PDB file of all heavy atoms in Angstrom:
ATOM      1  N   VAL A 518      22.880 -29.566 -11.620  1.00 94.00           N
ATOM      2  CA  VAL A 518      24.100 -30.193 -11.077  1.00 94.00           C
ATOM      3  C   VAL A 518      23.737 -31.207  -9.995  1.00 94.00           C
ATOM      4  O   VAL A 518      24.274 -32.326  -9.956  1.00 94.00           O
ATOM      5  CB  VAL A 518      25.046 -29.109 -10.506  1.00 94.00           C
ATOM      6  CG1 VAL A 518      26.188 -29.755  -9.736  1.00 94.00           C
ATOM      7  CG2 VAL A 518      25.587 -28.241 -11.635  1.00 94.00           C
ATOM      8  N   ILE A 519      22.823 -30.825  -9.093  1.00 94.00           N
ATOM      9  CA  ILE A 519      22.383 -31.735  -8.028  1.00 94.00           C
ATOM     10  C   ILE A 519      21.771 -32.987  -8.632  1.00 94.00           C
ATOM     11  O   ILE A 519      22.064 -34.129  -8.208  1.00 94.00           O
ATOM     12  CB  ILE A 519      21.366 -31.025  -7.112  1.00 94.00           C
ATOM     13  CG1 ILE A 519      22.050 -29.896  -6.326  1.00 94.00           C
ATOM     14  CG2 ILE A 519      20.702 -32.016  -6.163  1.00 94.00           C
ATOM     15  CD1 ILE A 519      21.074 -29.038  -5.523  1.00 94.00           C
ATOM     16  N   ASN A 520      20.922 -32.808  -9.636  1.00 94.00           N
ATOM     17  CA  ASN A 520      20.262 -33.939 -10.287  1.00 94.00           C
ATOM     18  C   ASN A 520      21.297 -34.883 -10.909  1.00 94.00           C
ATOM     19  O   ASN A 520      21.198 -36.117 -10.776  1.00 94.00           O
ATOM     20  CB  ASN A 520      19.306 -33.412 -11.362  1.00 94.00           C
ATOM     21  CG  ASN A 520      18.589 -34.536 -12.098  1.00 94.00           C
ATOM     22  OD1 ASN A 520      17.844 -35.303 -11.505  1.00 94.00           O
ATOM     23  ND2 ASN A 520      18.828 -34.618 -13.409  1.00 94.00           N
ATOM     24  N   HIS A 521      22.312 -34.327 -11.562  1.00 95.00           N
ATOM     25  CA  HIS A 521      23.336 -35.142 -12.207  1.00 95.00           C
ATOM     26  C   HIS A 521      24.146 -35.938 -11.171  1.00 95.00           C
ATOM     27  O   HIS A 521      24.407 -37.138 -11.359  1.00 95.00           O
ATOM     28  CB  HIS A 521      24.267 -34.231 -13.024  1.00 95.00           C
ATOM     29  CG  HIS A 521      25.369 -34.958 -13.726  1.00 95.00           C
ATOM     30  ND1 HIS A 521      25.153 -35.801 -14.803  1.00 95.00           N
ATOM     31  CD2 HIS A 521      26.713 -34.977 -13.486  1.00 95.00           C
ATOM     32  CE1 HIS A 521      26.298 -36.318 -15.193  1.00 95.00           C
ATOM     33  NE2 HIS A 521      27.265 -35.838 -14.418  1.00 95.00           N
ATOM     34  N   ARG A 522      24.513 -35.291 -10.073  1.00 94.00           N
ATOM     35  CA  ARG A 522      25.308 -35.967  -9.043  1.00 94.00           C
ATOM     36  C   ARG A 522      24.510 -37.074  -8.370  1.00 94.00           C
ATOM     37  O   ARG A 522      25.049 -38.169  -8.096  1.00 94.00           O
ATOM     38  CB  ARG A 522      25.789 -34.961  -8.016  1.00 94.00           C
ATOM     39  CG  ARG A 522      26.874 -34.025  -8.547  1.00 94.00           C
ATOM     40  CD  ARG A 522      27.265 -33.005  -7.505  1.00 94.00           C
ATOM     41  NE  ARG A 522      28.331 -32.127  -8.001  1.00 94.00           N
ATOM     42  CZ  ARG A 522      28.773 -31.063  -7.359  1.00 94.00           C
ATOM     43  NH1 ARG A 522      28.242 -30.736  -6.177  1.00 94.00           N
ATOM     44  NH2 ARG A 522      29.722 -30.317  -7.880  1.00 94.00           N
ATOM     45  N   LEU A 523      23.247 -36.805  -8.078  1.00 94.00           N
ATOM     46  CA  LEU A 523      22.418 -37.830  -7.437  1.00 94.00           C
ATOM     47  C   LEU A 523      22.215 -39.020  -8.362  1.00 94.00           C
ATOM     48  O   LEU A 523      22.196 -40.183  -7.921  1.00 94.00           O
ATOM     49  CB  LEU A 523      21.066 -37.235  -7.035  1.00 94.00           C
ATOM     50  CG  LEU A 523      21.093 -36.182  -5.914  1.00 94.00           C
ATOM     51  CD1 LEU A 523      19.679 -35.688  -5.614  1.00 94.00           C
ATOM     52  CD2 LEU A 523      21.711 -36.756  -4.642  1.00 94.00           C
ATOM     53  N   LYS A 524      22.066 -38.730  -9.644  1.00 93.00           N
ATOM     54  CA  LYS A 524      21.889 -39.818 -10.605  1.00 93.00           C
ATOM     55  C   LYS A 524      23.124 -40.704 -10.662  1.00 93.00           C
ATOM     56  O   LYS A 524      23.026 -41.943 -10.759  1.00 93.00           O
ATOM     57  CB  LYS A 524      21.603 -39.217 -11.985  1.00 93.00           C
ATOM     58  CG  LYS A 524      21.249 -40.255 -13.044  1.00 93.00           C
ATOM     59  CD  LYS A 524      20.866 -39.569 -14.355  1.00 93.00           C
ATOM     60  CE  LYS A 524      20.449 -40.613 -15.392  1.00 93.00           C
ATOM     61  NZ  LYS A 524      20.045 -39.962 -16.679  1.00 93.00           N
ATOM     62  N   GLU A 525      24.313 -40.087 -10.556  1.00 93.00           N
ATOM     63  CA  GLU A 525      25.555 -40.850 -10.606  1.00 93.00           C
ATOM     64  C   GLU A 525      25.709 -41.799  -9.421  1.00 93.00           C
ATOM     65  O   GLU A 525      26.309 -42.873  -9.550  1.00 93.00           O
ATOM     66  CB  GLU A 525      26.754 -39.890 -10.650  1.00 93.00           C
ATOM     67  CG  GLU A 525      26.932 -39.199 -11.991  1.00 93.00           C
ATOM     68  CD  GLU A 525      28.170 -38.318 -11.993  1.00 93.00           C
ATOM     69  OE1 GLU A 525      28.612 -37.908 -10.885  1.00 93.00           O
ATOM     70  OE2 GLU A 525      28.701 -38.038 -13.083  1.00 93.00           O
ATOM     71  N   ILE A 526      25.167 -41.411  -8.262  1.00 93.00           N
ATOM     72  CA  ILE A 526      25.312 -42.267  -7.076  1.00 93.00           C
ATOM     73  C   ILE A 526      24.054 -43.100  -6.814  1.00 93.00           C
ATOM     74  O   ILE A 526      23.920 -43.729  -5.757  1.00 93.00           O
ATOM     75  CB  ILE A 526      25.650 -41.420  -5.831  1.00 93.00           C
ATOM     76  CG1 ILE A 526      24.523 -40.415  -5.514  1.00 93.00           C
ATOM     77  CG2 ILE A 526      26.963 -40.707  -6.007  1.00 93.00           C
ATOM     78  CD1 ILE A 526      24.752 -39.634  -4.233  1.00 93.00           C
ATOM     79  N   GLY A 527      23.116 -43.091  -7.758  1.00 92.00           N
ATOM     80  CA  GLY A 527      21.940 -43.935  -7.657  1.00 92.00           C
ATOM     81  C   GLY A 527      20.896 -43.440  -6.674  1.00 92.00           C
ATOM     82  O   GLY A 527      20.154 -44.251  -6.102  1.00 92.00           O
ATOM     83  N   VAL A 528      20.785 -42.152  -6.486  1.00 93.00           N
ATOM     84  CA  VAL A 528      19.778 -41.573  -5.589  1.00 93.00           C
ATOM     85  C   VAL A 528      18.769 -40.799  -6.425  1.00 93.00           C
ATOM     86  O   VAL A 528      19.150 -39.988  -7.282  1.00 93.00           O
ATOM     87  CB  VAL A 528      20.434 -40.641  -4.547  1.00 93.00           C
ATOM     88  CG1 VAL A 528      19.369 -39.955  -3.689  1.00 93.00           C
ATOM     89  CG2 VAL A 528      21.398 -41.420  -3.664  1.00 93.00           C
ATOM     90  N   GLY A 529      17.486 -41.065  -6.194  1.00 94.00           N
ATOM     91  CA  GLY A 529      16.440 -40.363  -6.933  1.00 94.00           C
ATOM     92  C   GLY A 529      16.277 -38.930  -6.453  1.00 94.00           C
ATOM     93  O   GLY A 529      16.471 -38.631  -5.273  1.00 94.00           O
ATOM     94  N   PHE A 530      15.926 -38.033  -7.378  1.00 96.00           N
ATOM     95  CA  PHE A 530      15.734 -36.618  -7.064  1.00 96.00           C
ATOM     96  C   PHE A 530      14.324 -36.223  -7.493  1.00 96.00           C
ATOM     97  O   PHE A 530      13.987 -36.303  -8.685  1.00 96.00           O
ATOM     98  CB  PHE A 530      16.783 -35.776  -7.784  1.00 96.00           C
ATOM     99  CG  PHE A 530      16.763 -34.315  -7.399  1.00 96.00           C
ATOM    100  CD1 PHE A 530      16.531 -33.919  -6.086  1.00 96.00           C
ATOM    101  CD2 PHE A 530      16.979 -33.328  -8.346  1.00 96.00           C
ATOM    102  CE1 PHE A 530      16.529 -32.584  -5.732  1.00 96.00           C
ATOM    103  CE2 PHE A 530      16.977 -31.986  -8.010  1.00 96.00           C
ATOM    104  CZ  PHE A 530      16.742 -31.608  -6.691  1.00 96.00           C
ATOM    105  N   HIS A 531      13.491 -35.838  -6.522  1.00 96.00           N
ATOM    106  CA  HIS A 531      12.084 -35.575  -6.793  1.00 96.00           C
ATOM    107  C   HIS A 531      11.690 -34.176  -6.292  1.00 96.00           C
ATOM    108  O   HIS A 531      12.327 -33.619  -5.386  1.00 96.00           O
ATOM    109  CB  HIS A 531      11.200 -36.616  -6.095  1.00 96.00           C
ATOM    110  CG  HIS A 531      11.667 -38.016  -6.290  1.00 96.00           C
ATOM    111  ND1 HIS A 531      11.269 -38.804  -7.339  1.00 96.00           N
ATOM    112  CD2 HIS A 531      12.534 -38.785  -5.551  1.00 96.00           C
ATOM    113  CE1 HIS A 531      11.841 -40.000  -7.255  1.00 96.00           C
ATOM    114  NE2 HIS A 531      12.629 -40.011  -6.179  1.00 96.00           N
ATOM    115  N   LEU A 532      10.638 -33.633  -6.880  1.00 96.00           N
ATOM    116  CA  LEU A 532      10.070 -32.354  -6.447  1.00 96.00           C
ATOM    117  C   LEU A 532       8.630 -32.564  -6.032  1.00 96.00           C
ATOM    118  O   LEU A 532       7.927 -33.422  -6.588  1.00 96.00           O
ATOM    119  CB  LEU A 532      10.123 -31.318  -7.586  1.00 96.00           C
ATOM    120  CG  LEU A 532      11.468 -31.042  -8.252  1.00 96.00           C
ATOM    121  CD1 LEU A 532      11.301 -30.007  -9.360  1.00 96.00           C
ATOM    122  CD2 LEU A 532      12.497 -30.577  -7.237  1.00 96.00           C
ATOM    123  N   SER A 533       8.176 -31.781  -5.051  1.00 96.00           N
ATOM    124  CA  SER A 533       6.765 -31.853  -4.657  1.00 96.00           C
ATOM    125  C   SER A 533       6.225 -30.454  -4.399  1.00 96.00           C
ATOM    126  O   SER A 533       6.965 -29.535  -4.056  1.00 96.00           O
ATOM    127  CB  SER A 533       6.603 -32.716  -3.392  1.00 96.00           C
ATOM    128  OG  SER A 533       7.098 -32.033  -2.249  1.00 96.00           O
ATOM    129  N   GLU A 534       4.907 -30.318  -4.610  1.00 95.00           N
ATOM    130  CA  GLU A 534       4.177 -29.076  -4.328  1.00 95.00           C
ATOM    131  C   GLU A 534       4.810 -27.866  -5.020  1.00 95.00           C
ATOM    132  O   GLU A 534       4.976 -26.794  -4.434  1.00 95.00           O
ATOM    133  CB  GLU A 534       4.070 -28.847  -2.814  1.00 95.00           C
ATOM    134  CG  GLU A 534       3.374 -29.998  -2.102  1.00 95.00           C
ATOM    135  CD  GLU A 534       3.047 -29.703  -0.646  1.00 95.00           C
ATOM    136  OE1 GLU A 534       3.189 -28.547  -0.215  1.00 95.00           O
ATOM    137  OE2 GLU A 534       2.635 -30.650   0.045  1.00 95.00           O
ATOM    138  N   VAL A 535       5.141 -28.048  -6.301  1.00 95.00           N
ATOM    139  CA  VAL A 535       5.715 -26.953  -7.093  1.00 95.00           C
ATOM    140  C   VAL A 535       4.590 -26.025  -7.544  1.00 95.00           C
ATOM    141  O   VAL A 535       3.591 -26.472  -8.098  1.00 95.00           O
ATOM    142  CB  VAL A 535       6.475 -27.502  -8.320  1.00 95.00           C
ATOM    143  CG1 VAL A 535       7.103 -26.354  -9.105  1.00 95.00           C
ATOM    144  CG2 VAL A 535       7.521 -28.511  -7.890  1.00 95.00           C
ATOM    145  N   LYS A 536       4.753 -24.746  -7.332  1.00 95.00           N
ATOM    146  CA  LYS A 536       3.715 -23.777  -7.705  1.00 95.00           C
ATOM    147  C   LYS A 536       3.624 -23.636  -9.226  1.00 95.00           C
ATOM    148  O   LYS A 536       4.610 -23.819  -9.941  1.00 95.00           O
ATOM    149  CB  LYS A 536       4.013 -22.425  -7.065  1.00 95.00           C
ATOM    150  CG  LYS A 536       3.882 -22.448  -5.543  1.00 95.00           C
ATOM    151  CD  LYS A 536       4.086 -21.073  -4.934  1.00 95.00           C
ATOM    152  CE  LYS A 536       3.857 -21.120  -3.430  1.00 95.00           C
ATOM    153  NZ  LYS A 536       4.027 -19.798  -2.778  1.00 95.00           N
ATOM    154  N   GLY A 537       2.439 -23.265  -9.693  1.00 93.00           N
ATOM    155  CA  GLY A 537       2.172 -23.175 -11.123  1.00 93.00           C
ATOM    156  C   GLY A 537       3.155 -22.321 -11.905  1.00 93.00           C
ATOM    157  O   GLY A 537       3.734 -22.784 -12.905  1.00 93.00           O
ATOM    158  N   PRO A 538       3.402 -21.064 -11.493  1.00 94.00           N
ATOM    159  CA  PRO A 538       4.351 -20.237 -12.252  1.00 94.00           C
ATOM    160  C   PRO A 538       5.761 -20.811 -12.290  1.00 94.00           C
ATOM    161  O   PRO A 538       6.442 -20.696 -13.304  1.00 94.00           O
ATOM    162  CB  PRO A 538       4.318 -18.904 -11.480  1.00 94.00           C
ATOM    163  CG  PRO A 538       2.991 -18.876 -10.810  1.00 94.00           C
ATOM    164  CD  PRO A 538       2.714 -20.300 -10.443  1.00 94.00           C
ATOM    165  N   VAL A 539       6.172 -21.448 -11.186  1.00 94.00           N
ATOM    166  CA  VAL A 539       7.496 -22.069 -11.151  1.00 94.00           C
ATOM    167  C   VAL A 539       7.532 -23.259 -12.103  1.00 94.00           C
ATOM    168  O   VAL A 539       8.496 -23.455 -12.857  1.00 94.00           O
ATOM    169  CB  VAL A 539       7.857 -22.507  -9.718  1.00 94.00           C
ATOM    170  CG1 VAL A 539       9.212 -23.217  -9.698  1.00 94.00           C
ATOM    171  CG2 VAL A 539       7.874 -21.306  -8.784  1.00 94.00           C
TER     172      VAL A 539
END
Side-chain angles (χ1 to χ4, degrees):
V518 170
I519 292 173
N520 179 62
H521 180 70
R522 289 177 179 173
L523 292 180
K524 186 175 183 179
E525 286 183 337
I526 62 175
V528 175
F530 187 38
H531 313 271
L532 306 179
S533 72
E534 302 190 10
V535 182
K536 293 184 176 181
V539 177

